[in-house]
Structures are given as C-alpha cells and as structure tokens.
C-alpha cells in the first residue's frame, strides 16, 4: 500500500468514526491553591529544581515514591505506597472524613508537592484530577475513591512524563 492510499484509508476511517457519533470526552477537575503557578507543572522534570544531594537521592532510590497517608474508622494511621499492592484496611475501612495526605518521597527525603494528576481512562473517555494540594480536598478524596473502582488509573507528576500505574487501596479495591 503506498502512502496516498494509506492516507485516504485513514481519513475515511476517521470520517466514519465521526459519523457514528463517537466523541472524545475528557473531564478535568482542577483543585489548586492560590499560590499555584503554571510553570510548577514542570517542577519534577527540571533537574535544576533539585540540589545535587536531592538529585542523587532520587536516582539512588529509583525515582519518587508517592505515599498516601490516611486513617481508618478507628483513627489508626496508614502509609501506603501507590506504586505497590497494599493489604486491605481493617477497622471499618478508610475514613474519608479524616485527612488524606500525599507525600512524594525519595528514600526518607520528602519532596514538595508542586503539581500532580490522578487520572483514569484513555483518549476516548478520560477523567483527570489535577492539584498541588498535599492535603487533599473533599474533591480530591472523592475523585480518588471513584478512581479506585476503575480498571486503569495512573498518577503523573508532570504533564510531559509517562503515567505511573497506581494500585487500589484497601476497601476502595473491588
């Protein structure tokens, strides 16, 4: 198949998809603090933001580990890595009325939260929650709860990086 034929085929496929009424739907929930700046989205992909010691720690630890701090119904605190499978939460499950805090760790060193995106879906249908809040608002906690009922979910620390698959937490897992 030559290039012109291939191009015509792709255009006709695209026109057929549009005629069937298939649309891309993307819902973005933004939840930023007042001091947020647009350039902060790229904080974690610009190595000039980190001291030499901090950069060495990130490399040594194999990257940044997102840790979610939350509490169960009895008030017991949990720290779960979002990059690993976690055991269920006992004592009545996660209490979303209590704080949920995102910690970005390189070993024992905690990095500041500048921007992150939790998301679900693909090109056709996707939902995203973007924030720079370390302590999640009610919107963020609600989005996270819905997120863990889906099949494909991710975390990004910069718009230009590849998404990291995250794992379901305790009672949010089905």
């Amino acid at each position: 198949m030559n290039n012109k034929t291939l191009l015509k085929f792709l255009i006709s496929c695209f026109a057929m998809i549009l005629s069937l009424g298939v649309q891309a739907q993307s819902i973005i929930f933004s939840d930023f603090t007042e001091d947020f700046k647009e350039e902060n989205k790229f904080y974690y992909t610009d190595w000039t933001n980190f001291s030499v010691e901090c950069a060495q720690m990130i490399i040594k630890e194999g990257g940044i580990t997102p840790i979610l701090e939350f509490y169960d119904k009895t008030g017991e605190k949990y720290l779960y890595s979002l990059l690993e499978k976690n055991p269920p939460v006992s004592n009545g499950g996660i209490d979303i009325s209590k704080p949920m805090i995102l910690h970005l760790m390189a070993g024992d060193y905690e990095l500041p939260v500048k921007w992150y995106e939790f998301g679900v879906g693909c090109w056709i249908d996707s939902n995203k929650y973007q924030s720079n809040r370390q302590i999640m608002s009610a919107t963020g906690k609600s989005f996270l709860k819905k997120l863990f009922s889906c099949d494909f979910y991710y975390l990004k620390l910069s718009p230009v990086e590849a998404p990291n698959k995250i794992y379901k937490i305790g009672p949010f897992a089905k």
Side-chain angles (χ1 to χ4, degrees):
M1 199 182 273
N2 64 29
N3 288 340
K4 283 186 178 182
T5 308
L6 180 60
L7 181 62
K8 287 179 185 179
F9 175 74
L10 291 174
I11 290 172
S12 63
C13 286
F14 183 69
M16 185 174 66
I17 289 171
L18 289 177
S19 68
L20 293 174
V22 175
Q23 300 175 39
Q25 178 183 2
S26 184
I27 301 170
I28 300 176
F29 300 92
S30 298
D31 190 14
F32 296 108
T33 57
E34 290 178 9
D35 61 343
F36 177 71
K37 297 178 184 73
E38 193 67 24
E39 59 267 19
N40 287 341
K41 285 184 175 184
F42 301 97
Y43 181 83
Y44 294 107
T45 50
D46 182 0
W47 284 93
T48 60
N49 292 320
F50 302 106
S51 67
V52 172
E53 296 82 13
C54 183
Q56 287 174 337
M57 178 66 77
I58 293 169
I59 292 166
K60 177 183 164 196
E61 295 297 326
I64 300 167
T65 304
I67 304 286
L68 192 63
E69 174 185 335
F70 58 90
Y71 298 83
D72 67 18
K73 303 281 184 181
T74 65
E76 185 178 339
K77 180 167 96 172
Y78 291 78
L79 294 170
Y80 276 1
S81 168
L82 295 179
L83 302 181
E84 299 172 7
K85 292 188 177 183
N86 298 288
V89 178
S90 56
N91 301 326
I94 295 174
D95 186 349
I96 64 169
S97 67
K98 292 193 168 83
M100 294 180 84
I101 304 169
L102 183 66
H103 302 277
L104 301 176
M105 305 297 294
D108 293 332
Y109 185 80
E110 184 164 5
L111 302 165
V113 173
K114 296 290 186 179
W115 180 91
Y116 61 88
E117 175 183 294
F118 284 112
V120 60
C122 60
W123 178 78
I124 298 294
D125 186 16
S126 65
N127 290 332
K128 300 173 185 174
Y129 169 74
Q130 298 178 353
S131 182
N132 69 330
R133 295 175 185 269
Q134 183 181 26
I135 300 174
M136 289 186 185
S137 66
T139 302
K141 289 191 275 188
S142 174
F143 186 87
L144 201 61
K145 185 175 180 182
K146 290 178 185 168
L147 181 70
F148 285 122
S149 66
C150 301
D151 291 329
F152 177 76
Y153 31 90
Y154 65 84
L155 170 70
K156 291 172 76 169
L157 300 179
S158 170
V160 295
E161 80 170 7
N164 290 305
K165 180 181 180 198
I166 56 177
Y167 288 95
K168 298 180 181 186
I169 297 174
F172 290 166
K174 289 187 177 181

